[in-house]
Amino acid sequence: MAKIKPSKGAPYARILGVGGYRPTRVVPNEVILETIDSSDEWIRSRSGIQTRHWANDEETVAAMSIEASGKAIADAGISAEQIGGVIVSTVSHFKQTPAVATEIADKLGTAKAAAFDISAGCAGFGYGLTLAKGMIVEGSAEYVLVIGVERLSDLTDLEDRATAFLFGDGAGAVVVGPADEPAIGPTVWGSEGDKSETIKQTVPWTDYRSGEVAKFPAITQEGQAVFRWAVFEMAKVAKEALDAAGISTEDLDVFIPHQANERIIDSMVKTLKLPESVTVARDVRTTGNTSAASIPLAMERLLATGEAKSGDTALVIGFGAGLVYAATVVTLP
């Protein structure tokens, strides 16, 4: 019996560069109030959101991804030809096939990189990061591009008072590459499919195609159920990720949770008893909930503003539709 030669990858992996793209159109709460009975004060108190970005016709999922990826590649100090894998997490690319990752890989100028899409909602960035780490350690790629990108304005029901104000568009990307010491901790991830009805698409595409429903499908959620789950269950997952990485809250420099809702973020900070010295991402205020894009966009902004710095230890956690979740500790690029 022949023996298969073992893979030879890097001993560890790390994030080497990060980039983001936010659409040019900034949408204040006043625009949302044109279609729902609410107030700016109510939206801010319930979510922390003041503005969000909505894409125009030219700012497609692919176009936004390419812009963010170009910045991440430059930040990592490598060339596109060195990228061996492109992983795109999105729920708002409306072509079932081919994967938008293949278009992105080609237009960036990679040398025929492996390219595929994943659908893991707001936990998608964490899922992609974990897959990229495995590819590098296993040896199937030296550098992997992980992209979280959404055009959630296409899936927003502007007459739904519970969700109309939540969602935004944008793309965030990171380059993951080899490292000589651990810089991406073990991932604590999973799913709770018994709760899948709490965040979902209103109707299947087939119902819209057949004419059974006239209204284009949108994302809907049970706000209170999601809030309770995110605050109590995800705080436990975050603690498990810290334990898996062998660090405590006292060792943390930065906390980058999925930017779903500032009330959820505040509650998680309180439940985790994070020290005041920990920088907490609050990109949701001006970017809204961008699902898979929210963590890399928040990471990019913290580094750009100097609120976080290269080498900081950060806890990242994504959670959302499925219900799915993924948390890990990383060293910032």
Side-chain angles (χ1 to χ4, degrees):
M1 183 180 292
K3 290 186 177 180
I4 297 174
K5 186 178 179 180
S7 300
K8 291 185 178 179
Y12 306 104
R14 68 169 296 147
I15 300 173
L16 299 173
V18 60
Y21 180 83
R22 292 171 174 81
T24 54
R25 183 187 177 193
V26 177
V27 179
N29 289 337
E30 285 72 20
V31 172
I32 308 298
L33 297 175
E34 294 174 4
T35 52
I36 62 170
D37 180 17
S38 187
S39 68
D40 178 62
E41 181 183 2
W42 187 89
I43 293 174
R44 292 187 186 220
S45 65
R46 298 286 292 183
S47 68
I49 298 172
Q50 303 166 22
T51 60
R52 74 284 292 145
H53 295 254
W54 283 354
N56 60 33
D57 291 344
E58 287 73 38
E59 292 167 320
T60 64
V61 164
M64 293 190 293
S65 296
I66 290 165
E67 289 291 331
S69 297
K71 296 175 184 178
I73 292 168
D75 192 42
I78 64 168
S79 66
E81 290 86 352
Q82 293 174 273
I83 298 290
V86 177
I87 303 171
V88 177
S89 178
T90 185
V91 299
S92 49
H93 174 57
F94 291 149
K95 285 185 180 178
Q96 195 71 39
T97 192
V100 71
T102 58
E103 177 185 350
I104 294 165
D106 175 63
K107 289 185 176 178
L108 285 172
T110 68
K112 299 181 180 180
F116 57 95
D117 298 351
I118 60 174
S119 177
C122 306
F125 176 75
Y127 274 50
L129 186 64
T130 302
L131 294 173
K133 174 186 173 183
M135 291 166 69
I136 290 159
V137 173
E138 186 269 342
S140 60
E142 185 176 11
Y143 299 98
V144 179
L145 185 63
V146 179
I147 304 165
V149 56
E150 302 292 3
R151 274 182 54 122
L152 293 182
S153 58
D154 292 333
L155 287 168
T156 299
D157 180 353
L158 293 177
E159 296 178 347
D160 181 356
R161 190 172 184 272
T163 61
F165 59 90
L166 287 176
F167 303 121
D169 303 337
V174 299
V175 172
V176 182
D180 294 326
E181 58 183 31
I184 301 175
T187 300
V188 177
W189 56 354
S191 65
E192 297 185 30
D194 61 314
K195 300 180 180 66
S196 61
E197 291 294 302
T198 56
I199 307 174
K200 64 180 182 179
Q201 183 172 306
T202 49
V203 295
W205 297 113
T206 48
D207 286 1
Y208 181 72
R209 182 184 64 184
S210 67
E212 290 184 43
V213 294
K215 200 168 188 177
F216 193 76
I219 296 173
T220 186
Q221 68 175 29
E222 298 174 16
Q224 285 302 313
V226 172
F227 181 89
R228 289 192 297 270
W229 176 77
V231 170
F232 297 108
E233 297 304 318
M234 291 306 98
K236 296 175 186 176
V237 171
K239 183 62 168 61
E240 288 178 30
L242 290 172
D243 292 342
I247 68 171
S248 71
T249 55
E250 299 296 327
D251 301 313
L252 270 185
D253 300 306
V254 184
F255 180 43
I256 311 177
H258 164 48
Q259 302 293 291
N261 181 308
E262 192 167 32
R263 289 176 62 212
I264 291 176
I265 294 171
D266 288 341
S267 296
M268 289 185 72
V269 168
K270 183 178 180 180
T271 303
L272 288 168
K273 299 179 181 178
L274 295 184
E276 290 187 8
S277 60
V278 175
T279 297
V280 179
R282 300 183 185 279
D283 195 43
V284 67
R285 293 173 178 172
T286 55
T287 306
N289 180 344
T290 55
S291 188
S294 78
I295 290 175
L297 278 173
M299 182 184 295
E300 185 254 1
R301 175 161 281 174
L302 288 175
L303 289 166
T305 59
E307 295 173 82
K309 62 183 185 300
S310 174
D312 278 353
T313 299
L315 169 63
V316 299
I317 179 169
F319 44 85
L323 294 170
V324 295
Y325 55 87
T328 188
V329 175
V330 303
T331 301
L332 294 182

